Amino acid sequence: LRVISHPSGAEVFVDNDPKGTTPLQQVFVCAGDREVRITRKGEGTWFERVRIKANVLNTLDARLRPTLLYLGTFRLDAWGRLNWSDEDKNLQEGLKSLGSVNQIRVGDDLKAFREALKNEMTRPEGVEEVRKGRGIPPPRVAEALAKFQADLLMAVLSVESEGKVTSTLFL
């Protein structure tokens, strides 16, 4: 496997095993489907499942991009109940077409994180913070970015008050 990245100086991982730093001239990797992650702190990441062919030099030329973690849309109703909302379908469709960022796929870990966050923000003090427009608690933002190896976090909070709904996008 030969790996080039833009910018160079990125760490290369194959199936979570460190292989070196770009430009990586040649490293031996077993043929087959492999998870390849190329990352440089402060610059971005490239990751993909790659089919490595046997007996040839497989070359990857990767452009590093920031990674976006979209938590979803929380909706605070008039009674102070905080729930996940599906009112963001248009936003989610638009996110699919973004090519300038990597996106974290929804999996069990993300679902569990979102549920724990919803439970935390449903407490009376959390509901009051949402009403004030404060967004996701900063310690939870830092935890999410570290846990999911993301550079950016995005969430939408919708608040229903006096029959009107106001939505705020937090990035």
Side-chain angles (χ1 to χ4, degrees), residues 49-69:
R49 189 153 188 82
V50 175
R51 176 156 297 206
I52 304 295
K53 296 176 186 167
N55 302 316
V56 297
L57 181 60
N58 297 265
T59 301
L60 290 177
D61 190 346
R63 183 158 305 282
L64 304 183
R65 305 177 297 189
T67 300
L68 172 68
L69 170 61

Side-chain angles (χ1 to χ4, degrees), residues 17-150:
D17 187 26
K19 296 295 181 182
T21 304
T22 62
L24 192 60
Q25 295 306 316
Q26 189 170 347
V27 64
F28 292 98
V29 177
C30 291
D33 290 344
R34 302 281 169 240
E35 292 289 332
V36 178
R37 175 178 291 273
I38 306 165
T39 187
R40 182 172 173 186
K41 191 170 181 86
E43 294 291 337
T45 302
W46 181 93
F47 56 90
E48 197 167 304
R49 189 153 188 82
V50 175
R51 176 156 297 206
I52 304 295
K53 296 176 186 167
N55 302 316
V56 297
L57 181 60
N58 297 265
T59 301
L60 290 177
D61 190 346
R63 183 158 305 282
L64 304 183
R65 305 177 297 189
T67 300
L68 172 68
L69 170 61
Y70 177 57
L71 287 179
T73 297
F74 295 92
R75 175 125 190 217
L76 180 65
D77 66 20
W79 297 276
R81 295 179 301 211
L82 188 67
N83 292 297
W84 289 105
S85 172
D86 63 357
E87 62 194 51
D88 62 352
K89 287 184 182 186
N90 288 338
L91 176 60
Q92 286 188 19
E93 284 302 313
L95 287 173
K96 289 178 184 177
S97 67
L98 277 180
S100 58
V101 295
N102 302 308
Q103 295 182 49
I104 303 295
R105 293 183 184 104
V106 177
D108 291 339
D109 286 350
L110 181 54
K111 288 178 184 175
F113 182 85
R114 289 170 26 159
E115 192 60 29
L117 182 59
K118 181 190 74 128
N119 292 338
E120 177 182 327
M121 292 174 61
T122 301
R123 295 183 190 133
E125 62 275 8
V127 167
E128 196 54 39
E129 293 295 304
V130 171
R131 280 199 178 109
K132 290 178 182 176
R134 299 259 168 79
I136 307 296
R140 299 293 276 165
V141 170
E143 178 187 353
L145 293 173
K147 179 178 179 112
F148 297 102
Q149 299 179 2

Side-chain angles (χ1 to χ4, degrees), residues 13 25 62 143 154 168-169:
F13 298 87
Q25 295 306 316
E143 178 187 353
M154 186 168 76
T168 306
L169 182 127

